[in-house]
Amino acid sequence: MFVDHPEEVPDTAVSAVAALDEPTRRRLYDHVVRQPGPVSRDDAAAALGLARQTAAFHLDRLADESLLDVVYERRSGRTGPGAGRPAKLYKRSTTQVTVSLPERHYELAGRLLAQAVEEAEATGEPVRAVLHRKAHDLGAQLAGQGGTTVLGLLERYGFEPRSDGAAIVLGNCPFHTLAREHTETVCGMNLHLLRGALQGLDESGLQACLAPSPGYCCVRLEPASAPARGNPDSAQGVFPGGRDGSAARPPGDGDQHE
């Protein structure tokens, strides 16, 4: 099962993207990733008309930011004594750098949806039932990483939790665009994801329920003693009028909801 670690990503990802704001560094990055093989400092400097020292400085900065990988090869093809030192070469990094503000986790949603479709095709079980089970299991797994609270876990995965009396509302939907276009599917998935997280944290004082409201994720954490809202198994019927619980209208780009 896929486990993400977004708390490790934002600062390093922002730093990596910021590194590309320097024009010479961006030119070097674009040059390296367009080449069919690793590129040396000398090759890069000659291709872009730069001093070797300048090219080396910027290439090493790109490597430090995990935007490029460093490999060492002997370009002469010789081996053994007298073959010389291997050259330091640069190539596209295998690390994927993504920055999203507000925070989004579409890869997590995509993996869950793909797993659900594949298992449903193999077993004949309804896709939605598989999706809900997979989401619940993933939520429990994420909670099982340890060393966190409900608020800490929600912050880690970009939900922007806020207290609303004894309840917790979520100021951001990590699956925002998908939720706007496939509301019932994605909101149901998210509902079961958070139910699994609560179970994994052994948090019996809260329950996840569907309670759409303009500007918020439509999953809300209510005190366990409060009556559960909405259909317990899907998002069907919980959006009177508009998808976000408001009057019927196309949701604006600034709306954040499931």
Side-chain angles (χ1 to χ4, degrees):
M1 176 63 74
F2 169 67
V3 177
D4 195 8
H5 297 279
E7 73 278 14
E8 301 172 0
V9 172
D11 289 344
T12 55
V14 170
S15 176
V17 172
L20 292 173
D21 190 48
E22 205 287 327
T24 299
R25 196 172 300 141
R26 179 58 185 267
R27 289 174 62 214
L28 279 163
Y29 175 79
D30 289 342
H31 173 72
V32 171
V33 300
R34 289 171 183 160
Q35 305 312 305
V39 177
S40 71
R41 293 169 168 179
D42 289 331
D43 291 343
L48 299 184
L50 301 172
R52 184 183 187 279
Q53 185 176 1
T54 300
F57 171 79
H58 288 298
L59 288 168
D60 284 339
R61 173 65 188 279
L62 291 167
D64 290 342
E65 296 289 354
S66 298
L67 292 166
L68 296 178
D69 285 341
V70 174
V71 295
Y72 293 89
E73 296 179 2
R74 286 190 172 93
R75 285 295 181 88
S76 66
R78 295 182 297 168
T79 60
R85 295 176 58 187
K88 186 175 185 180
L89 308 176
Y90 303 83
K91 65 178 183 176
R92 184 197 293 272
S93 174
T94 57
T95 301
Q96 178 175 300
V97 177
T98 303
V99 176
S100 175
L101 299 172
E103 194 168 338
R104 305 291 188 228
H105 291 290
Y106 296 121
E107 184 176 0
L108 187 152
R111 287 174 182 254
L112 279 173
L113 291 163
Q115 289 170 0
V117 170
E118 290 173 356
E119 184 168 322
E121 288 182 343
T123 65
E125 186 178 359
V127 175
R128 196 177 301 276
V130 178
L131 176 61
H132 290 176
R133 186 177 69 253
K134 292 285 187 183
H136 186 281
D137 291 347
L138 177 58
Q141 185 180 7
L142 297 179
Q145 294 173 18
T148 190
T149 63
V150 173
L151 289 176
L153 186 67
L154 293 170
E155 285 283 4
R156 181 187 302 170
Y157 286 91
F159 285 98
E160 299 180 6
R162 306 168 191 171
S163 295
D164 183 16
I168 298 174
V169 296
L170 308 176
N172 181 55
C173 170
F175 317 115
H176 173 67
T177 301
L178 284 174
R180 287 178 59 192
E181 298 178 1
H182 308 282
T183 305
E184 182 178 348
T185 297
V186 177
C187 289
M189 176 193 75
N190 199 22
L191 174 66
H192 287 268
L193 177 74
L194 293 179
R195 285 180 175 173
L198 291 177
Q199 181 176 326
L201 291 169
D202 197 23
E203 177 54 71
S204 59
L206 292 169
Q207 61 180 336
C209 58
L210 290 166
S213 178
Y216 294 94
C217 169
C218 74
V219 178
R220 176 184 174 101
L221 305 186
E222 295 276 7
S225 57
R229 305 189 190 189
N231 186 316
D233 295 316
S234 78
Q236 188 173 18
V238 301
F239 295 94
R243 284 181 174 177
D244 58 4
S246 62
R249 60 174 176 80
D253 290 340
D255 291 342
Q256 293 176 353
H257 57 78
E258 281 205 329

